[in-house]
Amino acid sequence: MKMKLLFLCFCYVSMVAMAMAKTEMKTYIVHMSKSEMPPSFQHHTHWYDSSLKSVSGSAQMLYTYEHAIHGFSARLTEEEAESLKSQPGILSVLPELRYDLHTTRTPEFLGLDKNADMSPQSDSGSDVIIGVLDTGVWPESKSFVDTGMGPVPSSWKGQCETGTNFTAANCNRKLIGARFFANGYEATLGPIDESKESKSPRDDDGHGTHTSTTTGGSVVQDASLFGYAAGSARGMAPRARVAVYKVCWIGGCFSSDILGAMDKAIEDGVNVLSMSLGGGMSDYYKDSVAIGAFAAMEKGILVSCSAGNAGPTSYSLSNVAPWITTVGAGTLDRDFPAFVSLGNGQNYSGVSLFRGSSLPGKLLPFVYAGNASNSSSGNLCMMDSLIPEKVAGKIVFCDRGVNARAQKGAVVKAAGGLGMVLANTPANGEELVADAHLLPATSVGEKNGNLIKNYLFSDPNPTVTILFEGTKVGIQPSPIVAAFSSRGPNSITPDILKPDLIAPGVNILAGWTGSVGPTGLSTDTRRVEFNIISGTSMSCPHVSGLAALLKGAHPDWSPAAIRSALMTTSYVVYKTGRKLQDSATGKESTPFDHGSGHVDPVSALNPGLVYDLTAEDYLDFLCALNYTAAEITSLARRRYACDSKKKYSTNDLNYPSFAVNFDSMQSNRGANVVKHTRTLTNVGAAGTYKAVISGQFQGVKISVEPESLSFSQAKEKKSYTVTFIGSSMPVNSNAFARLEWSDGKHIVGSPIAVSWT
């Protein structure tokens, strides 16, 4: 009897849980087929409203979308969402996704100071408008001073929205627009706590100010962080205009808000969209960033997105749609050395941005955090994990992982520690990221960390001090692919090689908010005008700003042409002839790590040839993916019928790189042949280009037909085919090569990645 009661009770609880799940409200994004609107409605918004009311009399729309998609977002129960799917003209009803942020010297490092068209004095790009979707903006930053700038471009249709601690007066001829989008956030998490963040375009986080000043900030003399990286700070396109769209809040960035911002940015008239956020790794018709980017591309807007910070794991990329420019991160030739000096006389290099009261001029007791904690994860120096009696007056050795690097130092300081040595684990290898620590601290690579740990465990009375060396320039080799930079292959469409390229993303100096300190910790009471942080969030705006420069120099170039110029002129070898390195492995990086290579903006100004693409080319690509009519309409916002008589292939998308995938089983039965067709457009002088293939050829034979292309006039197009013949290779094998077309003046390079699956 008791068993029966328990069973009945369990069933009842399960039924209640199921009922609650069905009545729980969630945000859904509803894609409508605008062409199917019944003639009885005067405006499509009336139709949207009627469709919503047909399943819920009380539901309110969060947004109606006109440009990024055709449709709306609303709070619905699961049952209401299912019912809505059956309504006429509705293409899809998708649950909202949460996206995350991808968290001075660079103009010189990129060679911008050597080119007149890219100098701060040049007016090139002054009519180009860069839209930045992020955490908002700190308008008082000196990087937004508009001295010497002309009137706002007549094409601009945006505005400066008023909200908490922000008015229209905060905008000027540099920062020409600022909006905020919080409907989706508030619908899910409740009203914004205005005691913690501003319900306005104001940036209380710092990330948005850093990215927007990186992409288009004005020149600021004598910029630095506590004296580190001192010099003139400037964005990549210092004469471009900046418009900011705040979509990210303390609780994250929600897709309904992101779509709302992209919708407005398209309407406002931006020329470039910079988005240092991600999370969508689903099919393109389900990914709001990919959907909005498609609409932007059709309007001639280049969309640049960060690849993600989930490296060095394979298949870790986000934002991989071929109409998005996907940017990974590399290092600069600048470093901030801080050495660990041990009691045995050995010194080990590390990095730090600490500035404050130095350590006593003597060696101090040294302790391993794992031996000064009652926690099983005490070595990670997590909150309240250290025993003050075992830490006070000592320097503490902490392992990297889980919690924020600077927070570990705050934990050590709160427990009475005088300093910290932070060591990488295998996940981070030898990559060194500097932090503005709250106490004397330095970060060391895995190898040095292990050597220091050996001393700690072997010496009965270990001692240590930290020596801070300031800023060093000219560090070689550089750039190196950052270990955190997300990697390919492309998990959504393996036939499209991603990332597209890498740009500076490690220890980048740019503008900062006045609301929080450089570490972002609540205990950090310091306030700075500039901060140094790292991430593909920092590399993305570099490319966004460079795209703005190219748009200013070549107003008639499409987003695909601009991306092609940046990709095909990127470099993969240092001046010494050595190939780009990967900080995660200490070995050569591959196209799955660096894409086409490291951006070279001066060469991109005059690439010779480009791989161009139209919206129809991308639609044919969707046909090759066997998308349904409804899925294509969701992306294209119009009907597009795939021709049943035509053979579509992803290999024929006119992309500036090559990803070839062989079936290992087929290769075992004989030759596996794959062909890719490409078309080059001449954007330079007349000339003849010859093809050269270099790289690894084990398991694959590569040929190009024809081997030379002659161009007699501008905008002339020529096609060629690359044939790949694969022999038997083990599953998960990879080979890498490079195709270069050259006329003796230009090199038009494309990476090749061959995989056996």
Side-chain angles (χ1 to χ4, degrees):
M1 181 67 179
K2 186 178 288 186
M3 287 293 292
K4 187 175 182 181
L5 286 173
L6 284 171
F7 178 73
L8 289 171
C9 183
F10 173 77
C11 289
Y12 174 74
V13 171
S14 298
M15 290 169 65
V16 170
M18 289 172 65
M20 289 178 65
K22 284 190 174 182
T23 57
E24 182 184 356
M25 303 285 282
K26 296 181 180 179
T27 300
Y28 291 88
I29 297 171
V30 183
H31 292 253
M32 307 284 286
S33 179
K34 193 174 179 181
S35 62
E36 295 182 39
M37 184 180 76
S40 56
F41 293 101
Q42 292 184 335
H43 195 267
H44 62 271
T45 54
H46 301 157
W47 179 40
Y48 298 168
D49 187 63
S50 175
S51 299
L52 179 60
K53 293 295 191 290
S54 70
V55 298
S56 173
S58 60
Q60 297 292 317
M61 289 188 188
L62 301 177
Y63 295 99
T64 58
Y65 306 107
E66 307 230 8
H67 306 282
I69 68 167
H70 290 150
F72 61 91
S73 53
R75 295 287 285 179
L76 300 166
T77 65
E78 183 181 329
E79 197 170 61
E80 289 167 345
E82 283 299 317
S83 178
L84 194 57
K85 289 179 182 178
S86 63
Q87 299 295 314
I90 292 184
L91 298 166
S92 64
V93 181
L94 302 176
E96 178 168 63
L97 296 176
R98 174 179 161 172
Y99 291 72
D100 296 306
L101 293 166
H102 287 155
T103 294
T104 63
R105 167 115 181 120
T106 49
E108 184 178 349
F109 182 67
L110 295 171
L112 300 184
D113 59 325
K114 299 180 178 67
N115 188 285
D117 291 332
M118 293 185 165
S119 72
Q121 292 74 36
S122 170
D123 264 340
S124 177
S126 62
D127 287 336
V128 178
I129 303 165
I130 305 170
V132 182
L133 272 66
D134 213 296
T135 64
V137 65
W138 191 259
E140 292 82 8
S141 169
K142 293 177 182 177
S143 297
F144 295 117
V145 170
D146 63 355
T147 303
M149 300 201 73
V152 173
S154 58
S155 61
W156 177 243
K157 300 179 179 65
Q159 59 181 266
C160 209
E161 293 180 347
T162 297
T164 311
N165 303 318
F166 203 97
T167 69
N170 288 120
C171 291
N172 57 18
R173 290 171 296 178
K174 161 58 73 173
L175 179 64
I176 63 174
R179 297 182 185 268
F180 65 101
F181 299 81
N183 293 351
Y185 173 93
E186 291 190 317
T188 302
L189 299 178
I192 287 170
D193 185 348
E194 296 187 51
S195 67
K196 295 181 179 178
E197 56 184 334
S198 303
K199 191 175 179 180
S200 74
R202 182 166 291 279
D203 178 18
D204 302 300
D205 177 271
H207 192 277
T209 302
H210 200 279
T211 56
S212 56
T213 56
T214 296
T215 193
S218 299
V219 178
V220 181
Q221 304 293 337
D222 302 320
S224 74
L225 171 64
F226 304 137
Y228 288 103
S232 294
R234 55 162 279 195
M236 296 299 97
R239 302 295 290 177
R241 317 301 174 124
V242 176
V244 168
Y245 300 82
K246 184 176 179 179
V247 297
C248 295
W249 309 83
I250 288 176
C253 327
F254 290 84
S255 55
S256 60
D257 294 328
I258 293 170
L259 266 179
M262 297 181 81
D263 201 66
K264 277 297 180 186
I266 294 169
E267 181 181 322
D268 289 346
V270 304
N271 304 110
V272 175
L273 265 178
S274 186
M275 302 172 62
S276 292
L277 50 84
M281 295 179 71
S282 57
D283 286 329
Y284 308 128
Y285 65 89
K286 295 179 182 178
D287 182 354
S288 292
V289 170
I291 293 166
F294 192 97
M297 171 273 299
E298 284 198 288
K299 295 290 185 181
I301 301 167
L302 182 138
V303 181
S304 170
C305 291
S306 47
N309 298 334
T313 305
S314 299
Y315 296 98
S316 55
L317 293 160
S318 59
N319 300 316
V320 297
W323 47 88
I324 291 174
T325 301
T326 310
V327 188
T331 64
L332 291 173
D333 63 342
R334 180 181 63 197
D335 210 352
F336 309 103
F339 291 88
V340 178
S341 183
L342 301 178
N344 63 2
Q346 297 295 312
N347 291 332
Y348 297 98
S349 60
V351 295
S352 180
L353 295 169
F354 170 75
R355 184 73 78 198
S357 299
S358 298
L359 293 166
K362 61 178 182 179
L363 294 171
L364 294 171
F366 197 16
V367 62
Y368 180 57
N371 295 334
S373 172
N374 291 324
S375 169
S376 60
S377 57
N379 62 308
L380 298 177
C381 296
M382 299 176 73
M383 293 291 288
D384 302 318
S385 66
L386 298 178
I387 301 171
E389 293 79 12
K390 293 187 177 183
V391 168
K394 300 177 182 179
I395 292 179
V396 180
F397 182 104
C398 302
D399 286 317
R400 185 171 169 180
V402 184
N403 54 330
R405 298 182 301 271
Q407 186 184 69
K408 295 175 187 288
V411 170
V412 171
K413 185 176 182 181
L418 296 183
M420 176 181 70
V421 174
L422 178 61
N424 283 356
T425 60
N428 309 105
E430 301 310 304
E431 171 188 80
L432 294 179
V433 179
D435 295 290
H437 292 286
L438 291 166
L439 84 172
T442 185
S443 296
V444 299
E446 181 195 7
K447 292 178 182 177
N448 282 349
N450 289 336
L451 292 170
I452 295 168
K453 199 181 294 186
N454 288 340
Y455 165 73
L456 252 178
F457 293 161
S458 61
D459 194 299
N461 295 297
T463 56
V464 68
T465 192
I466 302 172
L467 307 173
F468 299 94
E469 298 291 314
T471 304
K472 300 293 183 184
V473 175
I475 306 299
Q476 297 299 331
S478 61
I480 298 174
V481 179
F484 62 73
S485 188
S486 289
R487 314 301 172 97
N490 183 337
S491 61
I492 307 300
T493 313
D495 298 331
I496 301 297
L497 180 61
K498 290 283 185 171
D500 291 315
L501 72 171
I502 62 170
V506 178
N507 297 333
I508 305 301
L509 179 78
W512 196 245
T513 176
S515 289
V516 297
T519 63
L521 299 173
S522 59
T523 53
D524 191 351
T525 58
R526 302 170 296 178
R527 294 296 179 264
V528 296
E529 292 183 339
F530 291 86
N531 197 10
I532 296 173
I533 57 177
S534 302
T536 55
S537 279
M538 287 59 257
S539 55
C540 167
H542 277 85
V543 168
S544 306
L546 297 175
L549 287 179
L550 292 187
K551 184 67 176 178
H554 304 284
D556 60 329
W557 280 11
S558 69
I562 292 173
R563 178 183 56 204
S564 173
L566 291 167
M567 288 176 65
T568 61
T569 57
S570 293
Y571 60 91
V572 292
V573 295
Y574 305 113
K575 292 179 180 178
T576 60
R578 187 183 180 191
K579 292 184 178 180
L580 289 186
Q581 301 292 295
D582 180 0
S583 64
T585 63
K587 301 176 182 178
E588 292 178 2
S589 61
T590 76
F592 288 146
D593 309 321
H594 60 237
S596 295
H598 191 279
V599 67
D600 180 359
V602 176
S603 296
L605 268 178
N606 181 21
L609 307 173
V610 296
Y611 294 87
D612 209 353
L613 282 161
T614 65
E616 284 66 32
D617 293 323
Y618 291 119
L619 291 170
D620 285 349
F621 167 78
L622 299 179
C623 290
L625 295 179
N626 295 317
Y627 273 24
T628 66
E631 290 164 353
I632 293 177
T633 304
S634 292
L635 269 165
R637 306 169 324 286
R638 66 179 186 276
R639 288 185 176 182
Y640 186 82
C642 300
D643 187 346
S644 60
K645 298 178 182 177
K646 182 177 178 180
K647 185 178 180 181
Y648 295 96
S649 173
T650 55
N651 296 342
D652 292 337
L653 184 69
N654 201 38
Y655 216 69
S657 57
F658 298 86
V660 181
N661 294 276
F662 289 130
D663 183 337
S664 293
M665 296 298 293
Q666 174 64 34
S667 296
N668 289 333
R669 293 192 293 266
N672 202 334
V673 180
V674 174
K675 294 190 176 186
H676 286 240
T677 300
R678 296 289 190 272
T679 300
L680 284 162
T681 302
N682 184 28
V683 291
T688 297
Y689 288 77
K690 294 184 178 181
V692 175
I693 297 222
S694 59
Q696 303 171 17
F697 294 95
Q698 183 180 4
V700 61
K701 180 181 179 182
I702 307 173
S703 60
V704 181
E705 178 64 34
E707 294 182 344
S708 66
L709 299 172
S710 294
F711 298 88
S712 59
Q713 58 188 2
K715 297 185 179 180
E716 185 178 1
K717 297 179 183 291
K718 296 278 186 176
S719 296
Y720 69 93
T721 299
V722 185
T723 300
F724 303 89
I725 303 176
S727 57
S728 177
M729 290 288 286
V731 175
N732 297 326
S733 295
N734 297 301
F736 304 102
R738 187 170 179 84
L739 166 62
E740 292 184 345
W741 291 93
S742 178
D743 64 347
K745 297 178 182 178
H746 308 90
I747 294 178
V748 185
S750 293
I752 298 171
V754 182
S755 302
W756 283 261
T757 58

